[in-house]
Amino acid sequence: MDKSWMVEDRHTEKYINGVKGFIQFAFSHSAKGNTILCPCKKCLNCSWLEASHVLEHLVCEGFVNGYRRWEYHGEASSSLESGRDAHVQQFDEVEENDDLEEDCDELAGMMRDMRHDFGDLSDVEDEGDCREPTNESDPFKQLVGLATLAGVVTSGEYGCPKCHLLTCSRWLTNGKKTCYMDHRRILVRNHRFRTIDKAFFDGNVESRTAPEPLTGEEVDALTRNMETVFGKDPTGKQTIRKRKRGDPPQIFKRRSIWFRLPYWKDLLQPHNIDAMHIEKNVCDNIVNTLLGINGKTKDNTNSRRDLELFNIRTDLHPVPVGKDTFDLPPASYSMSPELKRLFCQVLKGAMFPHGYASDIRKNVHVKEKKIAGLKSHDCHVLLQQLFPLAVRKTLPEGVSAALIRVSRFFKKIYAPVIRISDMEKLEEEIAETLSILETIFLPSFFDMMVHLMVHLPLQVRLGGPVKYSNMFPIERFLCTLKGYVRTKSHPEGSIAEGYIFYECLNFCARYFERCETRISRLVRNDDPEPMSSSMPFFNGGGRYLAGKYTITLDRNAWLQAHRYVLFNYDNITPYLSKHLEYLSSTGQRNALQIDKIHHDEFHEWLRLHVAHLVDSGEKISEEIQTLAKGPLFVARTYSSYTINGYKFHTKSYDEGRPTQSSGVALVSKLSSSSNESRTYYGVITQILELDYDNKGNVVLFKCEWFDNRVQDKWVKVDKFGITHVNRKHLIHTGHKSSDAPFILASQATQVYYVEDPLAPDWLAVRQATNQRDLYDMFGMGDENSEQADGPTGHNLDPIETISIDLKDIPKTRTDIDGVLVSAKENPKFEKEWQGKKGQARRLAHTVMYRALEVAIPESTRVLRSQSVMHESDNEEDADNEQELEENEELGLDDQQKKKKDGRKRTRMHTVYDRGNQPPVPVSFNEKGQPNGDNASEFSNFIATLVKTHIPLGHEDWRLVPVEKKNALLTTLRKYYVVDDKLKDYVMGTSHKKWRDFKADLKKKFFKPEKTDEEILTLRVEDNRVSYDDCVWLIKFWRSEEAEKRSEQGKKNRSSQKVLHTSGSKSHARVAAKMHKEKGYAPRRDEVFVRTHISKRDETIMTAETSKVIKDIDTAIEEHPELLEKSIQQGDILSHVLGKERNGYVRCVGLGPTAGSLGIPGAQKLKSTKLQMAELEAEKAWRTNEALMDHMDYFKEDTKAQMDALMAEMAEMRSMLSQSIAGNKNFMHTSEIQPEASVGEYSTADQSIHDVDSIEAAQLIRKKKEAAQRLNNEAELQKRKEAELLHKKKEEALMQKNNEQDMQKKREIESKKKQEDLMQKKKEQDMQKKREADLKKKKEATVTQKNHQKGNEVILFNVYRDHTTPVAKATILATDRKKIVGGRELGTECCEVVVNYIIKRDAILPRPIGDVTTMGQAQGRTIAWLYKHLEVDKSKMKQASPPQEE
């Protein structure tokens, strides 16, 4: 047939006639009615069109490129026939020629049909986008490939390609999807789960057998007569095929093209189900459900409603709480916010060895309690390695065991060595595991991907290890192809061009021998091939990667390393035996003593023994002689080393890195005379290479080994088979000569450790993957081979199945709260709930009692009770720093809103509680800034006092009354020792906190569109703000001045590009810490660098910051003299950033200003009057100081004179006493009449005594008068000077007082206007209050009628959000005089019995003994406030209507 016209111009007559001839040919050979396939460039033989349309398309668009043989329009393949004939002529004696002929025909047809299967590719081009294949959406879309090639149905009622018509599925009416359950039928016939109690499953006894997959012959017979229509409908309509009632179910959509191959029907496993996507979706289902991720969890409102429709798991049915709210009881897998954070913390703390997996820590968000953005391999590692560590700490034991069985299942499926017996056992185990999961999770959890886990063991048993059939290499290659895309409008062309370019480079790279190419490049953990040598022991392999240093070993380390090399040398056994025989011959009987001597002295004995043998002429191998001599004391150390396919790092090299490559494990014998072995776990501290006399090298790892001498003490295995080690207890530290801290590098197996947040001293041991780029070819055909357990022969996770008793799995959790859901969020559900069906459902919910098994700890109860009492009863202590914990479970949106709104009120319980203790000193630096351990607490307490002591009704901090500031300072000094140097810091901090508090209030409550009454709710929200301050703030916020300030503030904040990263830590504290680290006071530029880089990875946050740091480095290089200059002289930071701002000095912190530090040019210009007043005040102050010094001198002089007078008086008294004593002696010696002489002497003596006393008194009086005159003169002089000083002070402050008087006048006028407005507002409030009181009285009357005995009520929170229901109860008594909890009920309370608990941590308004929370009041009678309960109207006791007379 002549086709030369096809290359002619499309508008020529020859071309048009040729097209018409083509159409006639096509209608005579391949017509379908009055249509044929259109071969134009647009339709691509995929659209059935009429002749006129085909003619138009071929003239306008032309034929598709390369369509010279009209195979889609009935033309035979002449080229294939000719080739076939030539082939037959060449091999005419081969009997299989006929079969080959048929295969070629079928292969050509298959390729033709496959083109049709993929449809019109123009749709892909029109999208103009090339997306990476993803598995984040509907899991059933991942079975599209299986549905396309195998032609099976992969969704809906019969969606399982293995179970076919025997698929057990249920349609979830509310969830709008199909679930696949009833896995008990796959169990063995006599399994206990088939006849177990009805309470655990759906209430039925399972007697069905497991479904058998269809064989290839059965599939061939079922699809043999199916008609498959390729391409699109000619009319362009998309018809949706629905099975009519009565029609047989369809499990095949089309006949697979592969059945044209004669052997296809005989294959046992024609198609694979992808284990990678199954594992990822199972992991996502579990993680999203456990964490309750909004929109992704399988436990939601619709799931609970489906339980009601199935009438199973009644403990999890929604419980009505009022008309439009219901409570979802916590399932056995539910977790509280604290447990969710713990779950995320376990994953957040995991670091993997280098090259093992990506860093999933960036995908774990602890605060938000979510995990997002995991790829397929991330889920692979998470599910198999980390998941068991997280669930065992957060879920009940039975639930944890079931989920760990799922983890173990995938670990066995991905094993590199598959045993038939293990897979047969695994088939039974996974069926039992899924049956257990049916008692834990809701039906919506069991989608097709979860169900397909049952069929994976059989597939592995037939097809071999999963690694040869999963999608990991395909996904990686698709990612590579996506990287080729440069023009997104034509992705296919970009991929083709990039692939060809890649192949060309590979081809050229094979001819480059002296340079590194992608062909010759070493693999990641490449070991150099061992060199042929007479000493193979020294060719241990491996190569160093980083940190090469030369060191000199001490005697102890040299001995330990050399001893370990000798004992682990393969050919040393004869010499070991000789030495043991020698020790036995010396008379040693104790085996332990022999082992000790053998361990300590063998190296020396070997050196002497080998030297003796060499001297005697005996032939000894060179390797033995080299080892016997010992290594040199000079050795090399490395920080990183690769060997056996592992990359090892030292512990110090791992610090600061996102990987953990320093963990090792080793199996070693307990002694040379024992066959028992023990596994040691440790961390590499040093990589050492010994040099044996320049003839050979041996690489050793020096490790910190965890103590495992006592079984299950410091190294133990828990009930789930997870090994734990205690990091605080070490052995073989190397301090003793008998220690053995070294191992050969070739013996090390890599492990990594995961911290336990609840027990920081314990680490969970996880074994790394098999060696990279090394393939173990030993024992592959031996079922008893242990090569799968790693080179050490040990396996950290035993393969034994974890047994589970269904009775150990709780139906609900009694230690956490459920979730409150409003029916208004789901209009359909609200309609059903309020309708007749909803009424019947509510009546069916009788009073449910939920037993309380786990009580809240007493310490927690007391703390929460005290916190609530502080908040409600004591306004002064309302700012303490103990935040009330939120035990309500929040969704993701609520968590984000909470994070956006900021933290709750700061309260300082710890400070207020030490009110009776002496004030705590505050350490500070020379600039008057706190820098001690309590600096943060001191600053927070200042903020607390500011918010309670300082009024907010002022535009400027300087207008705040000084009395309020002094009161703040006085209160602060009750708890802290505030030095005078700290006053500036206290006032500066108070000013900042005062402004921030006002800004926070505006951000939280003020919106221009709100009314004043709505904004006044901030008084209710925050009782620290007075009513007057509220009114003033609202008026100020609406003023033009406030708007101007707001705009200026936004402008200033937007211009701030260089932001610090020190968080809440002040610059003073940062500088103090650096001082301790460096040993000297840091410069400002050093503080700047420290406070402007990331604390986590030491990266620079912004480009502006990076520029400043570069400028600092440049300034140091160009101007090193600036390093010695101070701030006043112009240091490096001043040179780079320029002049300091007014009131703040960069990198110094709050408190000091440029003026106070004496920076040139930072002083403000003052008026002449103010300068003169300050000068006069300074002179007066100096005069006063001089006067005080003069008075001190005068007092000292006067005191000295008084002391001298007192000394003279004392001397005169002593002389007088001596004279009196002499007179008495004289009287005894005189010879006169006793009576007369006595009288005369007495008179004489008295006269003498009087004369002396008078003289002494006169002298003393004179002295006192002189001293008094001096004192009077001094006091007069002091008074005159004080009056002069006072007069000068008054004159100095006169100008300032005048200015303040003017300001006060303006304030008084403004205050009068505010008082007028406030008076009007108070009158309005009084009117509203009277109306509210009247309304309350009416409501009280109605409430008293409604709160009848026997009514069921809903109790609402008393201390927190009053709209949150906490329990359901029944009223027992309303008698005012009845005593409940030691008090009468009165008019405010009634007696109720708690039936159903919603919030376990709700505080009781009247505790009864130790019962202080709602969780402890289950089934008990308590007192509850009328105003915090609401009658359940659906169950309210109706009063009988009055009878007519």
Side-chain angles (χ1 to χ4, degrees), residues 1255-1268:
E1255 293 179 355
Q1258 290 177 353
L1259 182 59
I1260 292 172
R1261 186 165 52 253
K1262 291 179 180 179
K1263 295 290 186 180
K1264 285 184 178 181
E1265 289 176 357
Q1268 186 65 31

Side-chain angles (χ1 to χ4, degrees), residues 548-740:
K548 180 179 179 181
Y549 297 98
T550 302
I551 62 171
T552 301
L553 299 175
D554 57 15
R555 176 67 183 178
N556 196 27
W558 179 90
L559 178 60
Q560 293 168 352
H562 177 47
R563 181 193 297 144
Y564 189 86
V565 171
L566 291 178
F567 278 100
N568 288 271
Y569 176 54
D570 294 337
N571 299 327
I572 203 68
T573 306
Y575 298 95
L576 294 175
S577 302
K578 287 183 180 180
H579 187 238
L580 290 174
E581 292 175 1
Y582 166 74
L583 294 177
S584 300
S585 63
T586 58
Q588 296 288 345
R589 301 297 182 186
N590 192 340
L592 294 178
Q593 187 68 19
I594 291 176
D595 283 344
K596 184 178 183 306
I597 299 175
H598 176 61
H599 179 267
D600 295 339
E601 299 179 358
F602 173 73
H603 68 283
E604 185 64 22
W605 175 87
L606 179 66
R607 183 181 65 82
L608 298 175
H609 180 69
V610 171
H612 175 71
L613 293 177
V614 171
D615 294 340
S616 61
E618 188 171 347
K619 187 176 181 180
I620 304 297
S621 67
E622 184 181 2
E623 199 170 50
I624 291 291
Q625 296 183 38
T626 304
L627 288 174
K629 291 180 181 179
L632 303 177
F633 278 86
V634 177
R636 286 184 291 270
T637 62
Y638 308 112
S639 299
S640 179
Y641 199 84
T642 177
I643 189 172
N644 294 338
Y646 297 121
K647 178 178 288 187
F648 292 99
H649 295 166
T650 61
K651 182 180 179 180
S652 59
Y653 193 70
D654 262 347
E655 293 179 356
R657 296 178 178 270
T659 58
Q660 180 190 162
S661 303
S662 56
V664 292
L666 176 71
V667 177
S668 175
K669 289 185 178 181
L670 296 179
S671 64
S672 60
S673 60
S674 174
N675 292 326
E676 296 182 6
S677 61
R678 181 177 297 168
T679 304
Y680 292 84
Y681 303 99
V683 179
I684 300 176
T685 58
Q686 187 182 41
I687 300 175
L688 185 67
E689 184 179 18
L690 298 179
D691 186 358
Y692 279 85
D693 199 18
N694 296 323
K695 296 181 180 180
N697 299 326
V698 178
V699 179
L700 300 173
F701 291 163
K702 184 178 182 180
C703 307
E704 292 180 349
W705 299 104
F706 303 113
D707 190 356
N708 64 344
R709 290 172 293 185
V710 180
Q711 187 176 4
D712 294 334
K713 186 175 183 181
W714 306 122
V715 175
K716 57 186 179 181
V717 180
D718 64 6
K719 53 193 171 186
F720 300 118
I722 301 173
T723 304
H724 297 77
V725 297
N726 192 293
R727 69 169 82 187
K728 297 296 184 181
H729 295 79
L730 306 176
I731 56 173
H732 294 294
T733 57
H735 300 305
K736 300 178 182 179
S737 60
S738 60
D739 289 346

Side-chain angles (χ1 to χ4, degrees), residues 938-953:
F938 182 67
S939 177
N940 290 337
F941 190 61
I942 293 175
T944 302
L945 295 180
V946 167
K947 296 171 185 177
T948 54
H949 287 68
I950 305 299
L952 302 177

Side-chain angles (χ1 to χ4, degrees), residues 1098-1293:
E1098 296 186 357
T1099 59
I1100 302 174
M1101 306 303 294
T1102 62
E1104 290 77 5
T1105 305
S1106 177
K1107 182 178 182 302
V1108 173
I1109 294 178
K1110 289 181 180 179
D1111 293 343
I1112 291 175
D1113 296 337
T1114 304
I1116 293 175
E1117 294 178 0
E1118 296 179 355
H1119 305 282
E1121 67 277 1
L1122 295 177
L1123 295 174
E1124 305 297 332
K1125 291 188 178 182
S1126 62
I1127 300 177
Q1128 295 80 2
Q1129 297 171 345
D1131 57 1
I1132 292 178
L1133 202 62
S1134 301
H1135 179 78
V1136 174
L1137 298 180
K1139 186 179 178 181
E1140 301 294 337
R1141 294 185 301 170
N1142 185 26
Y1144 179 79
V1145 182
R1146 287 180 289 254
C1147 296
V1148 173
L1150 195 63
T1153 62
S1156 62
L1157 294 178
I1159 298 178
Q1163 303 291 339
K1164 282 188 176 182
L1165 299 178
K1166 301 177 183 178
S1167 63
T1168 304
K1169 292 183 179 180
L1170 184 58
Q1171 293 179 6
M1172 293 178 65
E1174 290 180 352
L1175 182 60
E1176 292 295 332
E1178 185 178 358
K1179 289 181 179 180
W1181 181 257
R1182 291 178 180 177
T1183 304
N1184 186 30
E1185 288 183 349
L1187 181 60
M1188 294 301 296
D1189 295 339
H1190 178 69
M1191 288 300 299
D1192 292 338
Y1193 173 77
F1194 182 76
K1195 287 180 180 179
E1196 293 178 358
D1197 185 40
T1198 304
K1199 184 179 179 183
Q1201 295 180 7
M1202 291 297 295
D1203 292 340
L1205 290 174
M1206 294 302 294
E1208 292 180 3
M1209 291 175 63
E1211 185 178 357
M1212 293 176 65
R1213 288 195 185 95
S1214 63
M1215 293 173 59
L1216 183 59
S1217 61
Q1218 291 177 4
S1219 63
I1220 293 172
N1223 293 333
K1224 288 183 178 180
N1225 293 332
F1226 175 77
M1227 179 186 64
H1228 288 292
T1229 56
S1230 61
E1231 295 178 357
I1232 57 176
Q1233 296 294 333
E1235 296 181 1
S1237 61
V1238 171
E1240 293 176 358
Y1241 175 77
S1242 297
T1243 302
D1245 183 62
Q1246 183 67 30
S1247 61
I1248 296 171
H1249 183 276
D1250 291 342
V1251 172
D1252 294 337
S1253 298
I1254 291 171
E1255 293 179 355
Q1258 290 177 353
L1259 182 59
I1260 292 172
R1261 186 165 52 253
K1262 291 179 180 179
K1263 295 290 186 180
K1264 285 184 178 181
E1265 289 176 357
Q1268 186 65 31
R1269 284 196 303 271
L1270 293 175
N1271 288 333
N1272 292 338
E1273 292 177 358
E1275 290 179 359
L1276 180 60
Q1277 182 66 23
K1278 183 179 179 180
R1279 194 179 300 114
K1280 290 180 180 180
E1281 293 177 352
E1283 290 177 356
L1284 179 61
L1285 177 62
H1286 180 68
K1287 184 177 180 181
K1288 290 184 178 181
K1289 285 185 178 180
E1290 288 181 350
E1291 293 176 354
L1293 299 177

Side-chain angles (χ1 to χ4, degrees), residues 1045-1098:
R1045 291 189 181 185
S1046 178
E1047 293 298 328
Q1048 184 63 33
K1050 292 179 182 178
K1051 182 178 179 181
N1052 294 339
R1053 287 190 295 272
S1054 63
S1055 63
Q1056 294 177 356
K1057 303 298 183 181
V1058 182
L1059 305 177
H1060 69 80
T1061 60
S1062 59
S1064 60
K1065 184 177 291 187
S1066 65
H1067 284 81
R1069 293 174 59 194
V1070 173
K1073 183 179 179 181
M1074 294 177 65
H1075 194 171
K1076 292 181 180 179
E1077 295 174 355
K1078 297 177 176 297
Y1080 64 89
R1083 305 187 308 273
R1084 278 202 306 162
D1085 59 291
E1086 294 177 328
V1087 177
F1088 179 88
V1089 174
R1090 174 68 66 88
T1091 56
H1092 287 76
I1093 60 176
S1094 175
K1095 294 182 287 186
R1096 178 182 299 177
D1097 51 6
E1098 296 186 357

